[in-house]
Amino acid sequence: MPAEPLPIHQPKHPLHALTTYELRDYRRDLENTIKTITPDVAIRAELQRRLDAVIAEQESRARLATT
């Protein structure tokens, strides 16, 4: 975990409990923050890890919706 606080906060609930809209907004916040933060490798890596988890959750929901 980075020594500095991350520029974006975790949602109040786990990813699987977020609504579709909350998940979409969280993804947008992560993407925008990754684009605009200073190139601190530790912070960027943590934000990318969170973004990867959000994308995986969205893809999982999309697969469930098509079956």
CSV table of all heavy atoms in Angstrom, one decimal:
chain,number,residue,atom,x,y,z
A,1,MET,N,0.8,-1.2,0.0
A,1,MET,CA,0.0,0.0,0.0
A,1,MET,C,0.9,1.2,0.0
A,1,MET,O,1.9,1.3,0.7
A,1,MET,CB,-0.9,0.0,1.2
A,1,MET,CG,-2.0,1.0,1.3
A,1,MET,SD,-3.3,0.4,0.2
A,1,MET,CE,-4.4,1.8,0.4
A,2,PRO,N,0.6,2.2,-0.8
A,2,PRO,CA,1.4,3.4,-0.9
A,2,PRO,C,1.3,4.2,0.4
A,2,PRO,O,0.4,4.2,1.2
A,2,PRO,CB,0.8,4.2,-2.0
A,2,PRO,CG,-0.6,3.6,-2.3
A,2,PRO,CD,-0.6,2.2,-1.7
A,3,ALA,N,2.4,5.0,0.6
A,3,ALA,CA,2.5,5.8,1.9
A,3,ALA,C,1.5,7.0,1.8
A,3,ALA,O,1.0,7.4,2.8
A,3,ALA,CB,3.9,6.3,2.1
A,4,GLU,N,1.4,7.5,0.6
A,4,GLU,CA,0.5,8.7,0.4
A,4,GLU,C,-1.0,8.1,0.3
A,4,GLU,O,-1.2,7.0,-0.2
A,4,GLU,CB,0.8,9.4,-0.8
A,4,GLU,CG,2.1,10.0,-0.9
A,4,GLU,CD,2.4,10.7,-2.2
A,4,GLU,OE1,1.4,11.2,-2.8
A,4,GLU,OE2,3.5,10.7,-2.6
A,5,PRO,N,-1.9,9.0,0.7
A,5,PRO,CA,-3.3,8.5,0.5
A,5,PRO,C,-3.6,8.6,-1.0
A,5,PRO,O,-3.1,9.4,-1.7
A,5,PRO,CB,-4.2,9.6,1.2
A,5,PRO,CG,-3.2,10.7,1.4
A,5,PRO,CD,-1.8,10.2,1.4
A,6,LEU,N,-4.4,7.7,-1.5
A,6,LEU,CA,-4.8,7.6,-2.9
A,6,LEU,C,-5.7,8.8,-3.2
A,6,LEU,O,-6.5,9.2,-2.4
A,6,LEU,CB,-5.5,6.3,-3.2
A,6,LEU,CG,-4.6,5.1,-3.1
A,6,LEU,CD1,-5.4,3.8,-3.3
A,6,LEU,CD2,-3.5,5.1,-4.1
A,7,PRO,N,-5.6,9.3,-4.4
A,7,PRO,CA,-6.5,10.4,-4.8
A,7,PRO,C,-7.9,10.1,-5.0
A,7,PRO,O,-8.7,11.0,-5.3
A,7,PRO,CB,-5.8,10.9,-6.1
A,7,PRO,CG,-5.1,9.7,-6.6
A,7,PRO,CD,-4.7,8.9,-5.5
A,8,ILE,N,-8.3,8.8,-4.9
A,8,ILE,CA,-9.7,8.4,-5.1
A,8,ILE,C,-10.0,7.4,-4.0
A,8,ILE,O,-9.2,6.6,-3.6
A,8,ILE,CB,-9.9,7.8,-6.5
A,8,ILE,CG1,-11.4,7.6,-6.7
A,8,ILE,CG2,-9.2,6.6,-6.7
A,8,ILE,CD1,-11.7,7.4,-8.2
A,9,HIS,N,-11.2,7.5,-3.4
A,9,HIS,CA,-11.6,6.7,-2.3
A,9,HIS,C,-12.3,5.4,-2.8
A,9,HIS,O,-12.9,5.4,-3.8
A,9,HIS,CB,-12.5,7.4,-1.4
A,9,HIS,CG,-11.9,8.6,-0.8
A,9,HIS,ND1,-10.9,8.5,0.1
A,9,HIS,CD2,-12.1,9.9,-1.0
A,9,HIS,CE1,-10.5,9.8,0.5
A,9,HIS,NE2,-11.2,10.6,-0.3
A,10,GLN,N,-12.2,4.4,-2.0
A,10,GLN,CA,-12.9,3.1,-2.2
A,10,GLN,C,-14.4,3.4,-2.1
A,10,GLN,O,-14.8,4.2,-1.2
A,10,GLN,CB,-12.5,2.1,-1.2
A,10,GLN,CG,-11.3,1.3,-1.5
A,10,GLN,CD,-11.5,0.3,-2.6
A,10,GLN,OE1,-11.3,0.6,-3.8
A,10,GLN,NE2,-11.8,-0.9,-2.3
A,11,PRO,N,-15.2,2.7,-2.8
A,11,PRO,CA,-16.7,2.8,-2.6
A,11,PRO,C,-17.1,2.3,-1.2
A,11,PRO,O,-16.3,1.5,-0.6
A,11,PRO,CB,-17.3,2.0,-3.7
A,11,PRO,CG,-16.2,1.5,-4.6
A,11,PRO,CD,-14.9,1.8,-3.9
A,12,LYS,N,-18.2,2.6,-0.8
A,12,LYS,CA,-18.7,2.2,0.5
A,12,LYS,C,-19.0,0.7,0.6
A,12,LYS,O,-19.0,0.1,1.6
A,12,LYS,CB,-20.0,3.0,0.9
A,12,LYS,CG,-19.7,4.4,1.2
A,12,LYS,CD,-21.0,5.1,1.6
A,12,LYS,CE,-20.7,6.6,1.8
A,12,LYS,NZ,-21.9,7.3,2.2
A,13,HIS,N,-19.3,0.1,-0.6
A,13,HIS,CA,-19.6,-1.3,-0.6
A,13,HIS,C,-18.6,-2.0,-1.6
A,13,HIS,O,-18.0,-1.4,-2.4
A,13,HIS,CB,-21.1,-1.4,-1.2
A,13,HIS,CG,-22.1,-0.7,-0.4
A,13,HIS,ND1,-22.5,-1.0,0.8
A,13,HIS,CD2,-22.7,0.5,-0.7
A,13,HIS,CE1,-23.4,-0.2,1.3
A,13,HIS,NE2,-23.5,0.8,0.4
A,14,PRO,N,-18.6,-3.4,-1.4
A,14,PRO,CA,-17.7,-4.1,-2.3
A,14,PRO,C,-18.3,-4.0,-3.8
A,14,PRO,O,-19.4,-3.7,-4.0
A,14,PRO,CB,-17.8,-5.6,-1.8
A,14,PRO,CG,-18.8,-5.6,-0.7
A,14,PRO,CD,-19.2,-4.2,-0.4
A,15,LEU,N,-17.4,-4.3,-4.8
A,15,LEU,CA,-17.8,-4.1,-6.2
A,15,LEU,C,-19.0,-4.9,-6.5
A,15,LEU,O,-19.9,-4.4,-7.2
A,15,LEU,CB,-16.6,-4.5,-7.1
A,15,LEU,CG,-15.4,-3.7,-7.1
A,15,LEU,CD1,-14.4,-4.2,-8.0
A,15,LEU,CD2,-15.7,-2.2,-7.4
A,16,HIS,N,-19.2,-6.1,-6.0
A,16,HIS,CA,-20.3,-6.9,-6.4
A,16,HIS,C,-21.6,-6.3,-5.9
A,16,HIS,O,-22.7,-6.7,-6.4
A,16,HIS,CB,-20.1,-8.4,-6.0
A,16,HIS,CG,-20.2,-8.5,-4.5
A,16,HIS,ND1,-19.1,-8.4,-3.7
A,16,HIS,CD2,-21.3,-8.8,-3.7
A,16,HIS,CE1,-19.5,-8.6,-2.4
A,16,HIS,NE2,-20.8,-8.8,-2.4
A,17,ALA,N,-21.6,-5.5,-4.9
A,17,ALA,CA,-22.8,-4.9,-4.3
A,17,ALA,C,-23.1,-3.5,-4.9
A,17,ALA,O,-24.2,-3.0,-4.5
A,17,ALA,CB,-22.6,-4.8,-2.8
A,18,LEU,N,-22.3,-3.0,-5.7
A,18,LEU,CA,-22.6,-1.7,-6.3
A,18,LEU,C,-23.6,-1.8,-7.4
A,18,LEU,O,-23.7,-2.8,-8.1
A,18,LEU,CB,-21.3,-1.1,-6.9
A,18,LEU,CG,-20.2,-0.7,-6.0
A,18,LEU,CD1,-19.0,-0.2,-6.7
A,18,LEU,CD2,-20.6,0.3,-4.9
A,19,THR,N,-24.4,-0.8,-7.6
A,19,THR,CA,-25.3,-0.8,-8.7
A,19,THR,C,-24.5,-0.6,-10.0
A,19,THR,O,-23.3,-0.2,-10.0
A,19,THR,CB,-26.3,0.4,-8.6
A,19,THR,OG1,-25.6,1.6,-8.7
A,19,THR,CG2,-27.1,0.3,-7.3
A,20,THR,N,-25.2,-0.8,-11.1
A,20,THR,CA,-24.5,-0.6,-12.4
A,20,THR,C,-24.0,0.8,-12.6
A,20,THR,O,-22.9,1.0,-13.1
A,20,THR,CB,-25.5,-1.0,-13.6
A,20,THR,OG1,-25.9,-2.4,-13.4
A,20,THR,CG2,-24.9,-0.9,-14.9
A,21,TYR,N,-24.8,1.7,-12.1
A,21,TYR,CA,-24.5,3.1,-12.3
A,21,TYR,C,-23.3,3.5,-11.4
A,21,TYR,O,-22.4,4.3,-11.7
A,21,TYR,CB,-25.7,4.0,-12.0
A,21,TYR,CG,-26.8,3.7,-12.9
A,21,TYR,CD1,-28.0,3.1,-12.4
A,21,TYR,CD2,-26.7,4.1,-14.2
A,21,TYR,CE1,-29.0,2.8,-13.3
A,21,TYR,CE2,-27.8,3.8,-15.1
A,21,TYR,CZ,-28.9,3.1,-14.6
A,21,TYR,OH,-29.9,2.9,-15.5
A,22,GLU,N,-23.3,3.0,-10.1
A,22,GLU,CA,-22.2,3.3,-9.2
A,22,GLU,C,-20.9,2.7,-9.8
A,22,GLU,O,-19.8,3.3,-9.7
A,22,GLU,CB,-22.5,2.7,-7.9
A,22,GLU,CG,-23.5,3.4,-7.1
A,22,GLU,CD,-24.0,2.7,-5.8
A,22,GLU,OE1,-24.0,1.4,-5.8
A,22,GLU,OE2,-24.3,3.4,-4.8
A,23,LEU,N,-21.0,1.5,-10.4
A,23,LEU,CA,-19.8,0.8,-10.9
A,23,LEU,C,-19.3,1.6,-12.1
A,23,LEU,O,-18.1,1.9,-12.3
A,23,LEU,CB,-20.2,-0.6,-11.4
A,23,LEU,CG,-19.1,-1.6,-11.6
A,23,LEU,CD1,-18.3,-1.8,-10.3
A,23,LEU,CD2,-19.7,-2.9,-12.0
A,24,ARG,N,-20.2,2.1,-13.0
A,24,ARG,CA,-19.8,2.9,-14.1
A,24,ARG,C,-19.1,4.2,-13.7
A,24,ARG,O,-18.1,4.6,-14.2
A,24,ARG,CB,-21.1,3.3,-14.9
A,24,ARG,CG,-20.8,4.2,-16.1
A,24,ARG,CD,-22.0,5.0,-16.6
A,24,ARG,NE,-22.4,5.8,-15.5
A,24,ARG,CZ,-23.7,6.3,-15.4
A,24,ARG,NH1,-24.6,6.0,-16.2
A,24,ARG,NH2,-24.0,7.1,-14.4
A,25,ASP,N,-19.7,4.9,-12.7
A,25,ASP,CA,-19.1,6.1,-12.2
A,25,ASP,C,-17.8,5.9,-11.5
A,25,ASP,O,-16.8,6.7,-11.7
A,25,ASP,CB,-20.1,6.8,-11.2
A,25,ASP,CG,-21.4,7.3,-11.8
A,25,ASP,OD1,-21.4,7.4,-13.1
A,25,ASP,OD2,-22.3,7.6,-11.1
A,26,TYR,N,-17.6,4.8,-10.8
A,26,TYR,CA,-16.3,4.5,-10.1
A,26,TYR,C,-15.3,4.2,-11.2
A,26,TYR,O,-14.2,4.7,-11.1
A,26,TYR,CB,-16.5,3.3,-9.2
A,26,TYR,CG,-15.3,2.9,-8.4
A,26,TYR,CD1,-14.6,3.9,-7.7
A,26,TYR,CD2,-14.9,1.6,-8.3
A,26,TYR,CE1,-13.5,3.6,-7.0
A,26,TYR,CE2,-13.8,1.3,-7.5
A,26,TYR,CZ,-13.1,2.2,-6.9
A,26,TYR,OH,-12.0,1.9,-6.1
A,27,ARG,N,-15.7,3.5,-12.3
A,27,ARG,CA,-14.7,3.2,-13.4
A,27,ARG,C,-14.3,4.5,-14.0
A,27,ARG,O,-13.1,4.8,-14.2
A,27,ARG,CB,-15.4,2.3,-14.4
A,27,ARG,CG,-14.5,2.1,-15.6
A,27,ARG,CD,-15.1,1.2,-16.6
A,27,ARG,NE,-14.2,1.0,-17.7
A,27,ARG,CZ,-14.3,0.1,-18.7
A,27,ARG,NH1,-15.4,-0.8,-18.6
A,27,ARG,NH2,-13.5,0.0,-19.7
A,28,ARG,N,-15.2,5.4,-14.3
A,28,ARG,CA,-14.9,6.7,-14.9
A,28,ARG,C,-14.0,7.5,-14.0
A,28,ARG,O,-13.0,8.1,-14.5
A,28,ARG,CB,-16.2,7.5,-15.2
A,28,ARG,CG,-15.9,8.8,-15.9
A,28,ARG,CD,-17.1,9.6,-16.3
A,28,ARG,NE,-18.3,8.7,-16.4
A,28,ARG,CZ,-19.5,9.1,-15.9
A,28,ARG,NH1,-19.7,10.2,-15.2
A,28,ARG,NH2,-20.5,8.3,-16.0
A,29,ASP,N,-14.2,7.5,-12.7
A,29,ASP,CA,-13.4,8.3,-11.7
A,29,ASP,C,-11.9,7.7,-11.8
A,29,ASP,O,-11.0,8.4,-11.8
A,29,ASP,CB,-13.9,8.2,-10.3
A,29,ASP,CG,-15.2,9.0,-10.1
A,29,ASP,OD1,-15.5,9.8,-11.0
A,29,ASP,OD2,-15.9,8.8,-9.1
A,30,LEU,N,-11.8,6.4,-11.8
A,30,LEU,CA,-10.5,5.7,-11.8
A,30,LEU,C,-9.8,6.1,-13.1
A,30,LEU,O,-8.6,6.4,-13.1
A,30,LEU,CB,-10.7,4.2,-11.6
A,30,LEU,CG,-11.0,3.7,-10.3
A,30,LEU,CD1,-11.4,2.2,-10.3
A,30,LEU,CD2,-9.8,3.9,-9.3
A,31,GLU,N,-10.5,5.9,-14.2
A,31,GLU,CA,-9.8,6.2,-15.5
A,31,GLU,C,-9.3,7.7,-15.6
A,31,GLU,O,-8.2,8.0,-16.0
A,31,GLU,CB,-10.8,5.9,-16.6
A,31,GLU,CG,-11.0,4.5,-16.9
A,31,GLU,CD,-12.1,4.2,-17.8
A,31,GLU,OE1,-13.0,5.0,-18.1
A,31,GLU,OE2,-12.1,3.1,-18.4
A,32,ASN,N,-10.2,8.6,-15.1
A,32,ASN,CA,-9.8,10.0,-15.1
A,32,ASN,C,-8.6,10.3,-14.2
A,32,ASN,O,-7.7,11.1,-14.5
A,32,ASN,CB,-11.0,10.9,-14.8
A,32,ASN,CG,-12.0,10.9,-15.9
A,32,ASN,OD1,-11.7,10.7,-17.1
A,32,ASN,ND2,-13.2,11.2,-15.6
A,33,THR,N,-8.6,9.7,-13.0
A,33,THR,CA,-7.6,9.9,-12.1
A,33,THR,C,-6.3,9.3,-12.6
A,33,THR,O,-5.2,10.0,-12.4
A,33,THR,CB,-7.9,9.3,-10.7
A,33,THR,OG1,-9.2,9.8,-10.3
A,33,THR,CG2,-6.9,9.5,-9.7
A,34,ILE,N,-6.3,8.2,-13.2
A,34,ILE,CA,-5.1,7.6,-13.7
A,34,ILE,C,-4.5,8.5,-14.8
A,34,ILE,O,-3.3,8.6,-14.9
A,34,ILE,CB,-5.4,6.2,-14.3
A,34,ILE,CG1,-5.6,5.2,-13.1
A,34,ILE,CG2,-4.2,5.7,-15.2
A,34,ILE,CD1,-6.1,3.8,-13.6
A,35,LYS,N,-5.3,9.1,-15.6
A,35,LYS,CA,-4.8,10.0,-16.7
A,35,LYS,C,-4.2,11.3,-16.1
A,35,LYS,O,-3.3,11.8,-16.7
A,35,LYS,CB,-6.0,10.4,-17.6
A,35,LYS,CG,-6.5,9.3,-18.5
A,35,LYS,CD,-7.6,9.9,-19.3
A,35,LYS,CE,-8.4,8.7,-20.0
A,35,LYS,NZ,-9.6,9.2,-20.7
A,36,THR,N,-4.7,11.7,-15.0
A,36,THR,CA,-4.3,13.1,-14.5
A,36,THR,C,-3.3,13.1,-13.3
A,36,THR,O,-2.7,14.1,-13.1
A,36,THR,CB,-5.5,13.9,-14.1
A,36,THR,OG1,-6.2,13.2,-13.0
A,36,THR,CG2,-6.5,14.1,-15.2
A,37,ILE,N,-3.0,12.0,-12.7
A,37,ILE,CA,-2.1,12.0,-11.5
A,37,ILE,C,-0.7,12.0,-12.0
A,37,ILE,O,-0.3,11.7,-13.1
A,37,ILE,CB,-2.3,10.8,-10.6
A,37,ILE,CG1,-2.0,9.5,-11.3
A,37,ILE,CG2,-3.7,10.8,-10.0
A,37,ILE,CD1,-2.0,8.3,-10.3
A,38,THR,N,0.2,12.4,-11.1
A,38,THR,CA,1.6,12.4,-11.3
A,38,THR,C,2.0,11.0,-11.5
A,38,THR,O,1.4,10.1,-10.9
A,38,THR,CB,2.4,13.1,-10.2
A,38,THR,OG1,2.1,12.4,-9.0
A,38,THR,CG2,2.0,14.5,-10.0
A,39,PRO,N,3.1,10.7,-12.2
A,39,PRO,CA,3.5,9.3,-12.5
A,39,PRO,C,4.1,8.6,-11.3
A,39,PRO,O,5.2,8.1,-11.3
A,39,PRO,CB,4.5,9.5,-13.6
A,39,PRO,CG,5.0,10.9,-13.5
A,39,PRO,CD,3.9,11.7,-12.9
A,40,ASP,N,3.4,8.6,-10.1
A,40,ASP,CA,3.9,7.8,-9.0
A,40,ASP,C,3.5,6.4,-9.2
A,40,ASP,O,2.3,6.0,-9.3
A,40,ASP,CB,3.2,8.3,-7.7
A,40,ASP,CG,3.7,7.6,-6.5
A,40,ASP,OD1,4.0,6.4,-6.6
A,40,ASP,OD2,3.7,8.2,-5.4
A,41,VAL,N,4.5,5.5,-9.4
A,41,VAL,CA,4.3,4.1,-9.8
A,41,VAL,C,3.4,3.4,-8.8
A,41,VAL,O,2.5,2.7,-9.2
A,41,VAL,CB,5.7,3.4,-10.0
A,41,VAL,CG1,5.5,2.0,-10.3
A,41,VAL,CG2,6.5,4.1,-11.0
A,42,ALA,N,3.6,3.6,-7.5
A,42,ALA,CA,2.9,2.8,-6.5
A,42,ALA,C,1.4,3.2,-6.6
A,42,ALA,O,0.5,2.3,-6.6
A,42,ALA,CB,3.4,3.0,-5.1
A,43,ILE,N,1.1,4.5,-6.7
A,43,ILE,CA,-0.3,4.9,-6.7
A,43,ILE,C,-0.9,4.5,-8.0
A,43,ILE,O,-2.1,4.0,-8.0
A,43,ILE,CB,-0.4,6.4,-6.5
A,43,ILE,CG1,0.0,6.8,-5.1
A,43,ILE,CG2,-1.8,7.0,-6.8
A,43,ILE,CD1,0.1,8.3,-4.8
A,44,ARG,N,-0.2,4.7,-9.1
A,44,ARG,CA,-0.8,4.3,-10.4
A,44,ARG,C,-1.1,2.8,-10.5
A,44,ARG,O,-2.1,2.4,-11.0
A,44,ARG,CB,0.2,4.7,-11.5
A,44,ARG,CG,-0.4,4.6,-12.9
A,44,ARG,CD,0.5,5.1,-13.9
A,44,ARG,NE,0.7,6.6,-13.9
A,44,ARG,CZ,-0.1,7.4,-14.6
A,44,ARG,NH1,-1.0,7.0,-15.3
A,44,ARG,NH2,0.1,8.7,-14.4
A,45,ALA,N,-0.2,2.0,-9.9
A,45,ALA,CA,-0.4,0.6,-9.9
A,45,ALA,C,-1.6,0.2,-9.1
A,45,ALA,O,-2.4,-0.7,-9.5
A,45,ALA,CB,0.9,-0.1,-9.4
A,46,GLU,N,-1.8,0.8,-7.9
A,46,GLU,CA,-3.0,0.5,-7.1
A,46,GLU,C,-4.3,0.9,-7.8
A,46,GLU,O,-5.2,0.2,-7.8
A,46,GLU,CB,-2.9,1.2,-5.8
A,46,GLU,CG,-4.1,1.1,-4.9
A,46,GLU,CD,-4.4,-0.3,-4.5
A,46,GLU,OE1,-3.6,-1.2,-4.5
A,46,GLU,OE2,-5.6,-0.5,-4.0
A,47,LEU,N,-4.3,2.1,-8.4
A,47,LEU,CA,-5.4,2.5,-9.2
A,47,LEU,C,-5.7,1.6,-10.4
A,47,LEU,O,-6.9,1.3,-10.6
A,47,LEU,CB,-5.3,4.0,-9.6
A,47,LEU,CG,-5.3,5.0,-8.5
A,47,LEU,CD1,-4.9,6.4,-9.1
A,47,LEU,CD2,-6.6,5.1,-7.8
A,48,GLN,N,-4.7,1.2,-11.0
A,48,GLN,CA,-4.9,0.3,-12.2
A,48,GLN,C,-5.4,-1.1,-11.7
A,48,GLN,O,-6.3,-1.7,-12.3
A,48,GLN,CB,-3.6,0.1,-12.9
A,48,GLN,CG,-3.7,-0.7,-14.2
A,48,GLN,CD,-4.6,-0.1,-15.2
A,48,GLN,OE1,-4.4,1.1,-15.5
A,48,GLN,NE2,-5.6,-0.8,-15.7
A,49,ARG,N,-5.0,-1.5,-10.5
A,49,ARG,CA,-5.5,-2.8,-10.0
A,49,ARG,C,-7.0,-2.7,-9.7
A,49,ARG,O,-7.8,-3.5,-10.0
A,49,ARG,CB,-4.7,-3.2,-8.7
A,49,ARG,CG,-5.2,-4.5,-8.1
A,49,ARG,CD,-4.6,-4.7,-6.7
A,49,ARG,NE,-5.1,-3.7,-5.7
A,49,ARG,CZ,-6.4,-3.7,-5.2
A,49,ARG,NH1,-7.2,-4.6,-5.6
A,49,ARG,NH2,-6.7,-2.8,-4.3
A,50,ARG,N,-7.4,-1.5,-9.1
A,50,ARG,CA,-8.8,-1.3,-8.8
A,50,ARG,C,-9.6,-1.2,-10.1
A,50,ARG,O,-10.7,-1.8,-10.2
A,50,ARG,CB,-9.0,0.0,-8.1
A,50,ARG,CG,-8.5,0.0,-6.6
A,50,ARG,CD,-8.8,1.3,-6.0
A,50,ARG,NE,-8.3,1.4,-4.6
A,50,ARG,CZ,-8.5,2.4,-3.8
A,50,ARG,NH1,-9.3,3.4,-4.2
A,50,ARG,NH2,-8.0,2.4,-2.6
A,51,LEU,N,-9.0,-0.5,-11.1
A,51,LEU,CA,-9.7,-0.4,-12.4
A,51,LEU,C,-9.9,-1.8,-13.1
A,51,LEU,O,-11.0,-2.1,-13.6
A,51,LEU,CB,-9.0,0.5,-13.3
A,51,LEU,CG,-9.5,0.7,-14.7
A,51,LEU,CD1,-10.9,1.3,-14.7
A,51,LEU,CD2,-8.6,1.7,-15.5
A,52,ASP,N,-8.9,-2.6,-13.0
A,52,ASP,CA,-9.0,-4.0,-13.5
A,52,ASP,C,-10.1,-4.8,-12.9
A,52,ASP,O,-10.8,-5.5,-13.5
A,52,ASP,CB,-7.7,-4.7,-13.4
A,52,ASP,CG,-6.6,-4.1,-14.3
A,52,ASP,OD1,-6.9,-3.4,-15.2
A,52,ASP,OD2,-5.4,-4.4,-14.0
A,53,ALA,N,-10.2,-4.6,-11.6
A,53,ALA,CA,-11.3,-5.3,-10.8
A,53,ALA,C,-12.7,-4.8,-11.2
A,53,ALA,O,-13.6,-5.6,-11.4
A,53,ALA,CB,-11.1,-5.1,-9.3
A,54,VAL,N,-12.8,-3.5,-11.5
A,54,VAL,CA,-14.1,-2.9,-11.9
A,54,VAL,C,-14.4,-3.4,-13.3
A,54,VAL,O,-15.6,-3.9,-13.5
A,54,VAL,CB,-14.0,-1.4,-11.9
A,54,VAL,CG1,-15.3,-0.8,-12.6
A,54,VAL,CG2,-13.9,-0.8,-10.5
A,55,ILE,N,-13.5,-3.4,-14.2
A,55,ILE,CA,-13.7,-3.9,-15.5
A,55,ILE,C,-14.1,-5.4,-15.5
A,55,ILE,O,-15.0,-5.8,-16.2
A,55,ILE,CB,-12.5,-3.7,-16.4
A,55,ILE,CG1,-12.3,-2.2,-16.7
A,55,ILE,CG2,-12.6,-4.4,-17.8
A,55,ILE,CD1,-11.0,-1.8,-17.3
A,56,ALA,N,-13.4,-6.2,-14.7
A,56,ALA,CA,-13.8,-7.6,-14.6
A,56,ALA,C,-15.2,-7.8,-14.1
A,56,ALA,O,-16.0,-8.6,-14.6
A,56,ALA,CB,-12.8,-8.3,-13.7
A,57,GLU,N,-15.6,-7.0,-13.1
A,57,GLU,CA,-17.0,-7.0,-12.6
A,57,GLU,C,-18.0,-6.7,-13.7
A,57,GLU,O,-19.0,-7.3,-13.8
A,57,GLU,CB,-17.1,-6.1,-11.4
A,57,GLU,CG,-18.5,-6.1,-10.8
A,57,GLU,CD,-19.0,-7.4,-10.1
A,57,GLU,OE1,-18.1,-8.2,-9.7
A,57,GLU,OE2,-20.2,-7.6,-10.0
A,58,GLN,N,-17.7,-5.6,-14.4
A,58,GLN,CA,-18.6,-5.2,-15.5
A,58,GLN,C,-18.7,-6.3,-16.6
A,58,GLN,O,-19.8,-6.6,-17.0
A,58,GLN,CB,-18.1,-3.9,-16.1
A,58,GLN,CG,-18.4,-2.7,-15.2
A,58,GLN,CD,-17.8,-1.4,-15.9
A,58,GLN,OE1,-16.8,-1.4,-16.4
A,58,GLN,NE2,-18.6,-0.4,-15.7
A,59,GLU,N,-17.6,-6.9,-16.9
A,59,GLU,CA,-17.6,-8.0,-17.9
A,59,GLU,C,-18.4,-9.2,-17.4
A,59,GLU,O,-19.1,-9.8,-18.1
A,59,GLU,CB,-16.2,-8.4,-18.3
A,59,GLU,CG,-15.5,-7.3,-19.1
A,59,GLU,CD,-14.1,-7.6,-19.4
A,59,GLU,OE1,-13.5,-8.6,-18.8
A,59,GLU,OE2,-13.5,-6.8,-20.2
A,60,SER,N,-18.3,-9.5,-16.1
A,60,SER,CA,-19.0,-10.6,-15.5
A,60,SER,C,-20.5,-10.4,-15.6
A,60,SER,O,-21.3,-11.3,-15.9
A,60,SER,CB,-18.5,-10.8,-14.1
A,60,SER,OG,-19.3,-11.8,-13.4
A,61,ARG,N,-20.9,-9.1,-15.3
A,61,ARG,CA,-22.3,-8.8,-15.3
A,61,ARG,C,-22.8,-8.9,-16.8
A,61,ARG,O,-24.0,-9.3,-17.0
A,61,ARG,CB,-22.6,-7.4,-14.7
A,61,ARG,CG,-22.3,-7.4,-13.2
A,61,ARG,CD,-22.6,-6.0,-12.7
A,61,ARG,NE,-22.3,-5.9,-11.3
A,61,ARG,CZ,-22.6,-4.9,-10.5
A,61,ARG,NH1,-23.3,-3.9,-11.0
A,61,ARG,NH2,-22.2,-4.9,-9.3
A,62,ALA,N,-22.0,-8.4,-17.7
A,62,ALA,CA,-22.4,-8.5,-19.1
A,62,ALA,C,-22.6,-9.9,-19.6
A,62,ALA,O,-23.6,-10.2,-20.3
A,62,ALA,CB,-21.4,-7.7,-20.0
A,63,ARG,N,-21.7,-10.8,-19.2
A,63,ARG,CA,-21.9,-12.2,-19.5
A,63,ARG,C,-23.1,-12.8,-18.9
A,63,ARG,O,-23.8,-13.6,-19.6
A,63,ARG,CB,-20.6,-13.0,-19.1
A,63,ARG,CG,-19.5,-12.9,-20.0
A,63,ARG,CD,-18.4,-13.9,-19.6
A,63,ARG,NE,-17.9,-13.9,-18.2
A,63,ARG,CZ,-17.0,-13.0,-17.8
A,63,ARG,NH1,-16.4,-12.2,-18.6
A,63,ARG,NH2,-16.6,-13.0,-16.6
A,64,LEU,N,-23.4,-12.5,-17.7
A,64,LEU,CA,-24.6,-13.0,-17.0
A,64,LEU,C,-25.9,-12.5,-17.7
A,64,LEU,O,-26.9,-13.2,-17.8
A,64,LEU,CB,-24.6,-12.6,-15.5
A,64,LEU,CG,-23.7,-13.3,-14.6
A,64,LEU,CD1,-23.7,-12.7,-13.2
A,64,LEU,CD2,-24.0,-14.8,-14.6
A,65,ALA,N,-25.8,-11.3,-18.2
A,65,ALA,CA,-27.0,-10.7,-18.8
A,65,ALA,C,-27.3,-11.3,-20.2
A,65,ALA,O,-28.5,-11.3,-20.6
A,65,ALA,CB,-26.8,-9.2,-19.0
A,66,THR,N,-26.3,-11.8,-20.8
A,66,THR,CA,-26.5,-12.4,-22.2
A,66,THR,C,-26.9,-13.9,-22.1
A,66,THR,O,-27.2,-14.5,-23.1
A,66,THR,CB,-25.2,-12.3,-23.0
A,66,THR,OG1,-24.1,-12.9,-22.4
A,66,THR,CG2,-24.9,-10.8,-23.3
A,67,THR,N,-26.8,-14.5,-20.9
A,67,THR,CA,-27.2,-15.9,-20.8
A,67,THR,C,-28.6,-16.1,-20.4
A,67,THR,O,-29.3,-15.3,-19.9
A,67,THR,CB,-26.3,-16.7,-19.9
A,67,THR,OG1,-26.3,-16.1,-18.6
A,67,THR,CG2,-24.9,-16.7,-20.4
